[in-house]
Amino acid sequence: MRISDFIARTITQRRGFVWTGVGLLTGACLTVLITALRLDSEIFNVLPGRFSSVQGLKIYDREFEQTHELTFALLCEPQDVDKLEDFATVFAEKLRKQPWCTRVLAGSPMATPDGIRDLQSIAVPLLLNLEPSVFDETISILQPRKIQDRLHRLRQQIEAGSPRPEFELSFDPLGLIAPALKPFAENTATEQEQPLTSPDGTMRVFLAVTNQPSVSAFECQRLMRRVNEFRTTAGAGWAGGRLQVLVTGRAAFVSEISLSMRYDIVATLLGSVLLVGSIFFVGFRRWLPLLGMAFCLLLSCLVALVLGQLLFGRLSMISVAFCAILVGLGVDFAILTIGRYHQARADGEPHQQAIATSVAKLGRAIFFGALTTAVGFLALVLSGAMSFSQLGVLIAIGIFVAGLFMCSILFLFIRERQKPVRHDWLFDLVKKYVRWTVRRPATILISSSAVLLLLTGIGFSPIPPLRFEASTRSLQPKNIRANQALEKIMHTMPVRWEPVLAIVHATNSQELHDAWQKLAAHWRDLQTVGKIKSFFTPAALCPSPIWMQRNREELSAINFQAARETLVQTLNAEGFNPDAFTPAFALLDDLQHLALPGVPLPNWRPQLPKSSSWWFLVDRYFARDPLLTTGFVTTNQPVATHAQSEYLKYNLPVRGVPVILSGWTYVLADLLPWSHRQLLIISALMAIFDVSLLAILYRDLRLWLIQVVTLAFGIGAMIASMKLLHINLNLLNVLSFRLVLAIGVDYGIYTVLVWQKTRDVEHDVAGVVKPVLLAGLTAVSGFASLALARNPSLTGLGVACALGIFWSLVATIFFTLPAMAAAEPKSWHENRIASR
């Protein structure tokens, strides 16, 4: 028994058995999804993970404390600048009192007494961490004569009216703290590099660290609800005009992106269902098969999701958008099978035989159509991006399952006693076109070839160019308030461009210290010769146990008793109050205690209060793991080309120091060759697979050449449309070319396979061209519905694929069909048409 007969017999005679199996399958899928489905909202998963720069971006985003940091900004009108300065203090206090806020940075820590006191608390560990020669020079300040000279000089400067000596006496009376903090101070350029007040005074920026337990989508949504409640009341007490309270940060982005992904899934799926359903109903004017098609597609999505969950363990929320694509592609099989079934019924075949005929006539075409489409999407695995790899696997699974269901379960929704449509205007129109094309192919072939050839010439010519957009803007979500706030802050504040990140992970403190000492020395040389603009490293805060042990041994040679007595005598002689110099005596006691044998080396981390504003600077360099650190290099120009990224990759590292270079702009520049390879090499491999498969299927050189030219016309017209519509390529929508090659070839396969075997050209070819037309329109609708998404990755991919599939459909109907007719002997047509 043929498979087609077995399917028809089972569907018609054992409907209860089939429905039971469908119910069990649906229940099992729903159970797995409810209990095991895990979604991943990581935005960086749209990038290929094998690149070290991408890995560095993920490390920095995941491990560093900035993921718990929010940036608030107050923006006022120019006439309210004076009022903003006063209100900033009120706003900062309100922010500190929020239960979700642990620390606030409202200004330079050096401008507050707490900030100065916090620096004094870590002076001893940093003093011991000085380079031995610098330490020896610094500690010599404790000689009695130098103590006397220093305090006498400061007294003279105070009497001369200088304000600086008073600050120096209160902050560093012995002169030991300043040398200890000098390397640290060289990296405290936050106020200069990232000012908290705009040049025109209309914006004040505040940094806040939150206490959210994680950066998961739901935790970020929960936090941002509380933050937005605070924003609505934060302006209370403002006496000026319009005041904007902006907020941005990782939590804000994750919250809005996760919500937008939920919107994308619902909007694109509903949009695809509505468009596809409308086209299906116009083509067949049947509600029950439409319901059956929707059920089969939904079940296909469920099966693909379950298998994907079992394969990957966690599904990217971007990959879940495959549902909209699968609806647009899977409906092709329904249209083909339903169309052939109705044609068989119109020819007088009974219900069971019409099902068998539909499966027998189009089962082979559906199999190979599903194969090419699945291979095209499976090729996304070669992109190396987790989100798109999952997208490809899910659609490949869904396509095969949909093909199986459309050739079996779909017929459960077709009633045996249903009367055929009396007047099918679309089929009549297609039949007239097929008759005219088969009898007079030259007219339509010349016209369509001229148009398609012109578009292909425009597409493959260098003029006008197809622009490639390698910027963060091409990947940023649309209409995200956190992104709009970030853009407004960057526009108002004098920030030039993003620095390059250099991430170093060591196994111990000494290794980390040595690595940053080498990098800092090397970068200092690059800065001297003008190869980089500036750099900032955590070198001063990376302790060296070797240096600290050596320097501590030198303390045993210091006569601390003599230094203390000299300090008391000099303070009295110069007229200072010894009680005001308690920190200086405490510093001497700490140093003398460290000189004792057996005392452990000090660590600055426990001594810096957790509420200190200096942690904003520390967290800029250190991850939660103190051995995972990052430095920053500001280039002379923004990194925008691959040549610049290669230059930095060659010049910034030091031999023997494992360092990962990263940063958004650096990553995008680093990925440009990868994106070009995706466009050229992988698309070429897909094209080779297509032409090889066509050669095996057709075994006819003329038909093979026609189909290859059709593919070239489809891709060329697609590129031309993108040029004329000013749609730029980006790092992700280059993947659309392989998908168009995989999907667009299906329409030719359906048409050519029927053409080769038909004995009634007008009847049989028209019977497949109508479903092909509807299938192409539904595929275009499925991808076009992605334009409703807020995620630019999905939008760009959807629009590009929709254009490509549209032109592949046009080339199939208006070039492939008349070209096949023109390639056959004229008598062949006359005999086949006359046979009716």
Side-chain angles (χ1 to χ4, degrees), residues 97 112 169 316 507 579 608 646 687:
K97 294 178 181 178
T112 63
L169 278 174
S316 168
T507 58
D579 294 337
L608 186 63
E646 286 295 302

Side-chain angles (χ1 to χ4, degrees), residues 553-816:
E553 293 173 355
E554 293 297 315
L555 290 177
S556 60
I558 303 297
N559 189 340
F560 288 100
Q561 185 62 34
R564 185 179 291 103
E565 292 175 356
T566 301
L567 178 59
V568 173
Q569 294 171 3
T570 306
L571 290 175
N572 291 328
E574 297 294 339
F576 294 117
N577 181 7
D579 294 337
F581 290 82
T582 301
F585 292 103
L587 179 60
L588 290 175
D589 292 338
D590 291 340
L591 292 175
Q592 186 175 8
H593 178 70
L594 287 173
L596 298 176
V599 176
L601 293 173
N603 186 357
W604 60 266
R605 282 183 169 273
Q607 299 181 23
L608 186 63
K610 290 300 181 182
S611 60
S612 175
S613 298
W614 290 107
W615 280 106
F616 283 95
L617 176 70
V618 173
D619 291 339
R620 188 184 181 201
Y621 297 106
F622 289 87
R624 299 177 184 89
D625 177 5
L627 297 178
L628 179 60
T629 56
T630 186
F632 304 88
V633 175
T634 304
T635 55
N636 294 317
Q637 296 293 333
V639 181
T641 65
H642 180 65
Q644 289 175 296
S645 69
E646 286 295 302
Y647 175 84
L648 295 172
K649 191 181 299 183
Y650 176 78
N651 284 279
L652 291 184
V654 175
R655 180 175 298 179
V657 178
V659 60
I660 300 176
L661 301 182
S662 190
W664 256 115
T665 55
Y666 178 87
V667 166
L668 295 181
D670 191 36
L671 293 182
L672 285 176
W674 165 83
S675 187
H676 293 156
R677 285 195 300 271
Q678 294 296 308
L679 174 62
L680 299 175
I681 298 178
I682 308 300
S683 297
L685 292 176
M686 189 66 227
I688 292 173
F689 172 82
D690 280 352
V691 298
S692 302
L693 179 64
L694 294 175
I696 296 173
L697 282 177
Y698 299 161
R699 299 179 185 179
D700 187 315
L701 180 60
R702 292 174 299 178
L703 297 180
W704 180 81
L705 286 174
I706 291 171
Q707 188 65 57
V708 170
V709 173
T710 302
L711 287 175
F713 279 161
I715 294 295
M718 170 189 175
I719 299 175
S721 300
M722 295 179 70
K723 288 181 177 181
L724 298 176
L725 296 175
H726 303 289
I727 300 175
N728 297 333
L729 285 177
N730 58 44
L731 290 170
L732 300 176
N733 66 10
V734 295
L735 304 174
S736 61
F737 289 92
R738 74 183 70 171
L739 301 182
V740 170
L741 286 169
I743 300 169
V745 72
D746 293 351
Y747 308 131
I749 290 176
Y750 300 147
T751 305
V752 174
L753 289 181
V754 171
W755 177 274
Q756 283 184 308
K757 294 184 176 182
T758 184
R759 294 188 177 183
D760 190 336
V761 176
E762 181 182 328
H763 179 266
D764 292 344
V765 174
V768 75
V769 169
K770 174 193 171 182
V772 163
L773 175 62
L774 294 175
L777 293 178
T778 55
V780 171
S781 300
F783 278 103
S785 67
L786 295 181
L788 300 173
R790 295 173 179 173
N791 189 296
S793 306
L794 293 176
T795 300
L797 183 67
V799 171
C801 286
L803 286 173
I805 294 173
F806 171 77
W807 284 115
S808 297
L809 178 64
V810 169
T812 298
I813 294 177
F814 295 103
F815 175 78
T816 300

